[in-house]
Amino acid sequence: MSFLSVDEQMAVIKRGTVEIVPEDELKVKLKKSRKTNTPLRIKLGVDPTRPDLHLGHSVILRKLRQFQDLGHEAILIIGGFTAMIGDPTGQNKTRPPLTDSEVQENAETYIEQAKKILDPSKTTIVNNNDWLGPVTFMDVIRLSSKLTVARMIERDDFSKRYQNNEPISLHEFLYPLAQGQDSVHLKSDVELGGTDQKFNLLVGRDLQRAEGIDPQVCLMMPLLVGTDGSMKMSKSYDNYIGIDEPANDMYGKSLSIPDELIYPYFELVTDISVDELPAIKQKAKKDPRNTKHDLAFAITKMYHGEEAAVAARKHFEETVIKKNIPDDAPVFSFDPGTDYRLIDIIADAGLTSSNGETKRMMKQGGISINEEKINDPNHSITFTAGDELELKVGKRKYARLISS
């Protein structure tokens, strides 16, 4: 195939990138790739610790897709072996390893969602258990000899735990070696990762060099800040936008980000062209409200299509701006004279994921009936004939409660 010039490729590759180590080597690899008409091997390893993906995961997956679009070979490694070790990156305690069945189940869901971003026809999916599983104990000893304890303690997370007298298990030292061995096995030209993965990626360079393989270039992407504007996006922090979420929720959550995140989100999680980004940056400063709607539309369109994005915008305007209950809100009927706790009604309707979430939303003023906020978790409703109540849960979920 015909590759773009090195400068044109670098403009795409550097979009949103925090660091490329070393950048000059990447240019050399791209030049050689054009000369020999041979695509580079781009590696991304993922441990399927959770079955669901959010926009934070999409940042690195979109970078892999950009390499695909430039004509290079995308290799997605499912960490079937490494997930059973438990990645210590960013952890202040030993991370519990997953079982083989958990890895398999999560991996299947992960791959299906990743296909919404990657080109399946141009993606090679492998499992590192295939080559790390058969490794013998003697192989592990030989591999361990290639890295010193002093080098391991250079890692910020290990260093902090050591200084605080917090336990570090020996198997955690083996994780970077296992990840680096993936690079040796695949002979990757470039490895992608978040900024928190820099140490592991550099270990891969070292191991390749020790085996006489041209060392990979390490490309680090930022960790996406969540909708709260402060913490990295994570389901644990409840500041995430899932790529499998309904269109209305995706649109609404995208509008909840702080204004200062509008441009970074456009740059990192959308497919807006590089040429359009400068104009978007200026518009975000002058008109953040409408630019944020443009962002919400772009994100929703990417994962649900244009028709769903248009409907989601209309839904937001009707329910949030005009404060109308949507026509498709579910209707629940109750016999006159019956008495129900509101928390049970919400649970039965599936409007929250748990009673704990319902109680938290009540405390924060996020649940109302006929626009009256309900803060009491023991609030009950005694239905009478002819009742038509409008229940609102959070910013985007509604239900009609009737009795006849």
Side-chain angles (χ1 to χ4, degrees):
M1 67 169 294
S2 178
F3 294 96
L4 295 175
S5 71
V6 171
D7 287 344
E8 288 173 316
Q9 291 190 67
M10 287 298 296
V12 175
I13 293 168
K14 292 180 72 174
R15 170 178 176 166
T17 300
V18 173
E19 189 177 9
I20 300 173
V21 181
E23 187 171 323
D24 287 345
E25 283 188 23
L26 178 56
K27 292 179 180 178
V28 171
K29 286 177 180 288
L30 290 171
K31 186 175 181 180
K32 181 179 178 181
S33 168
R34 292 189 78 234
K35 185 176 181 180
T36 61
N37 200 35
T38 304
L40 298 180
R41 293 169 63 81
I42 316 300
K43 166 199 171 190
L44 172 62
V46 295
D47 284 350
T49 53
R50 287 181 177 271
D52 43 2
L53 302 187
H54 52 63
L55 291 187
H57 299 109
S58 80
V59 172
I60 199 73
L61 287 168
R62 295 207 68 76
K63 183 58 62 179
L64 185 59
R65 174 59 189 260
Q66 288 166 13
F67 272 102
Q68 282 185 314
D69 292 342
L70 291 172
H72 300 292
E73 182 182 358
I75 306 173
L76 181 65
I77 304 176
I78 299 299
F81 186 90
T82 43
M84 290 188 285
I85 299 177
D87 186 0
T89 301
Q91 302 297 306
N92 56 15
K93 59 182 180 180
T94 302
R95 173 177 283 180
L98 298 181
T99 65
D100 184 56
S101 60
E102 288 174 326
V103 170
Q104 292 297 329
E105 185 177 344
N106 290 352
E108 290 176 11
T109 309
Y110 191 107
I111 291 170
E112 284 306 307
Q113 292 174 81
K115 287 178 180 178
K116 292 187 175 185
I117 299 170
L118 302 175
D119 182 343
S121 66
K122 299 179 181 178
T123 305
T124 300
I125 299 174
V126 294
N127 189 319
N128 64 11
N129 194 47
D130 293 344
W131 57 86
L132 292 178
V135 167
T136 67
F137 190 60
M138 183 55 70
D139 292 330
V140 173
I141 291 174
R142 292 194 185 102
L143 186 61
S144 300
S145 70
K146 296 178 182 179
L147 218 58
T148 65
V149 172
R151 176 73 193 282
M152 284 293 189
I153 294 297
E154 288 176 10
R155 277 184 57 145
D156 187 53
D157 38 24
F158 284 158
S159 177
K160 288 178 180 176
R161 286 163 64 181
Y162 183 73
Q163 291 170 7
N164 294 333
N165 292 318
E166 295 169 348
I168 304 172
S169 298
L170 282 175
H171 79 280
E172 294 181 88
F173 277 177
L174 297 178
Y175 188 95
L177 289 169
Q179 182 174 331
Q181 196 63 19
D182 292 344
S183 298
V184 172
H185 178 82
L186 294 169
K187 297 182 174 59
S188 50
D189 294 301
V190 179
E191 181 171 10
L192 311 182
T195 50
D196 59 342
Q197 287 285 320
K198 182 176 180 178
F199 182 90
N200 293 356
L201 271 58
L202 291 175
V203 168
R205 252 178 89 80
D206 292 342
L207 295 182
Q208 284 180 316
R209 190 183 291 111
E211 293 294 330
I213 300 170
D214 189 23
Q216 67 186 14
V217 170
C218 307
L219 186 152
M220 277 70 72
M221 296 297 293
L223 304 179
L224 187 70
V225 177
T227 56
D228 59 350
S230 57
M231 306 291 287
K232 73 173 184 178
M233 184 171 286
S234 169
K235 195 167 185 180
S236 301
Y237 301 141
D238 196 26
N239 64 353
Y240 69 101
I241 302 173
I243 68 171
D244 249 1
E245 290 204 57
N248 291 343
D249 289 349
M250 184 175 284
Y251 193 97
K253 283 188 175 184
S254 299
L255 291 175
S256 70
I257 66 171
D259 291 351
E260 61 268 21
L261 291 182
I262 296 174
Y263 178 74
Y265 270 51
F266 262 114
E267 183 179 39
L268 295 171
V269 304
T270 76
D271 53 7
I272 300 296
S273 72
V274 174
D275 295 338
E276 296 177 74
L277 289 176
I280 288 173
K281 192 171 190 177
Q282 292 303 313
K283 184 179 178 182
K285 293 178 181 178
K286 296 177 181 178
D287 185 8
R289 179 184 176 276
N290 285 317
T291 312
K292 200 178 290 185
H293 274 282
D294 294 342
L295 172 66
F297 188 90
I299 292 173
T300 307
K301 178 182 174 182
M302 282 168 51
Y303 294 102
H304 293 282
E306 185 167 5
E307 185 176 341
V310 171
R313 175 155 192 162
K314 182 180 179 181
H315 175 85
F316 181 85
E317 292 171 347
E318 289 292 325
T319 59
V320 179
I321 298 176
K322 298 180 182 178
K323 299 186 182 300
N324 295 331
I325 186 168
D327 294 335
D328 60 352
V331 178
F332 299 94
S333 299
F334 301 87
D335 293 331
T338 54
D339 187 88
Y340 288 89
R341 288 197 312 162
L342 180 57
I343 195 170
D344 294 330
I345 293 174
I346 292 172
D348 292 342
L351 297 175
T352 61
S353 60
S354 66
N355 284 346
E357 181 185 2
T358 303
K359 291 176 181 178
R360 186 179 70 251
M361 293 180 71
M362 284 181 170
K363 186 176 180 180
Q364 296 170 347
I367 293 179
S368 63
I369 294 178
N370 291 348
E371 300 187 8
E372 179 183 346
K373 293 181 180 180
I374 307 298
N375 304 113
D376 180 6
N378 294 314
H379 181 85
S380 293
I381 302 173
T382 301
F383 289 93
T384 58
D387 275 349
E388 291 188 12
L389 307 179
E390 293 182 357
L391 171 63
K392 183 179 180 184
V393 178
K395 295 181 179 180
R396 292 171 288 277
K397 293 182 179 179
Y398 298 83
R400 288 188 173 90
L401 313 179
I402 64 173
S403 180
S404 56

